[in-house]
Amino acid sequence: MTAIHPLARRSRAQRLVLSATMLALVAGLAACAPEPEPEPEPEPVETTAAPVETEEPEPEPEVFTMPADCTTILPQSRIDNFAEQSLELLGGPGSVYGDDYFFDPTPEQLVGGISCVYAIDGQDLSSLLISVAPMSASTRAGVVNDLTAQGLNEETTDEGAVTYSQYGDESGVPAIYNIVRDDSWISVISAFGGQVFYEEAVVLAEEVAGEVYQ
């Protein structure tokens, strides 16, 4: 049996100790190593949805309805205003005297319309004659010809209706306003003429249109 030199035994022991020390050092370094920082989460990207275009429905066209009588051609506010001026509904269907108020049919009555008279009873010069009539292709041409023959001022509105009018004056020439559409004819004749009464006739015609078109 070969004897081991004491120095050889010591070198082996040192190597064992050194190996154990290195392993402990590596383990310690591994334990002390900083943990990797977590990667930041990506920020959410805001997305804006494109607005959805919606088509608005087109408004339904207003339809003309022929009034049954004179009591429905004006708004209540105007009727109250007439009452404050002592103007009564004297002529036309639904009035005090009905159609007997007229000696002869009015042009509007001849084409199937109604004529309504607001006045102070017994004072003819206080009267307002307001008429409404339906129009058709067969009647419109004749009405237009008659109004043109009266020498009235002719104009066309933005909506395509045609107006026939005169200002009149305070010496007895009445203020007249007619507006003729494809399906209706509204007219206002004031016993008094001049700027103020003409403008009132225009407003009255607009108020009548507001009642007969819905």
Side-chain angles (χ1 to χ4, degrees):
M1 180 175 180
T2 305
I4 299 174
H5 194 278
L7 290 174
R9 287 198 296 269
R10 187 171 60 181
S11 297
R12 181 182 294 178
Q14 286 176 344
R15 287 197 298 270
L16 290 173
V17 170
L18 181 60
S19 297
T21 302
M22 292 296 293
L23 288 172
L25 180 61
V26 170
L29 290 173
C32 294
E35 295 183 1
E37 295 184 2
E39 294 184 3
E41 295 183 2
E43 294 184 2
V45 179
E46 295 184 3
T47 57
T48 304
V52 179
E53 294 185 1
T54 56
E55 294 184 0
E56 294 186 2
E58 294 184 1
E60 293 291 332
E62 295 180 333
V63 178
F64 171 74
T65 301
M66 183 63 203
D69 57 38
C70 295
T71 62
T72 59
I73 66 169
L74 290 170
Q76 187 60 47
S77 58
R78 176 60 66 177
I79 296 172
D80 294 341
N81 176 263
F82 281 169
E84 292 174 1
Q85 301 177 58
S86 300
L87 296 175
E88 298 180 74
L89 178 58
L90 298 180
S95 70
V96 174
Y97 301 111
D99 283 333
D100 293 338
Y101 185 91
F102 305 101
F103 294 108
D104 297 305
T106 65
E108 292 83 356
Q109 289 174 323
L110 291 174
V111 293
I114 59 175
S115 291
C116 313
V117 176
Y118 281 89
I120 299 174
D121 201 358
Q123 297 184 26
D124 293 339
L125 292 179
S126 65
S127 68
L128 277 167
L129 176 62
I130 305 173
S131 302
V132 185
M135 285 285 93
S136 65
S138 60
T139 58
R140 191 176 187 277
V143 168
V144 168
N145 289 337
D146 289 343
L147 293 173
T148 303
Q150 296 176 37
L152 300 173
N153 301 314
E154 180 179 340
E155 294 182 5
T156 302
T157 68
D158 293 339
E159 64 178 7
V162 184
T163 65
Y164 300 88
S165 62
Q166 73 175 23
Y167 278 78
D169 56 44
E170 297 177 359
S171 63
V173 179
I176 299 175
Y177 184 77
N178 296 270
I179 181 164
V180 181
R181 298 179 174 86
D182 290 339
D183 53 0
S184 72
W185 172 21
I186 297 172
S187 68
V188 180
I189 300 176
S190 172
F192 293 102
Q195 182 74 25
V196 172
F197 293 100
Y198 172 79
E199 290 177 355
E200 182 185 41
V202 174
V203 172
L204 286 169
E206 292 174 351
E207 290 180 350
V208 173
E211 297 299 309
V212 300
Y213 280 94
Q214 300 291 335

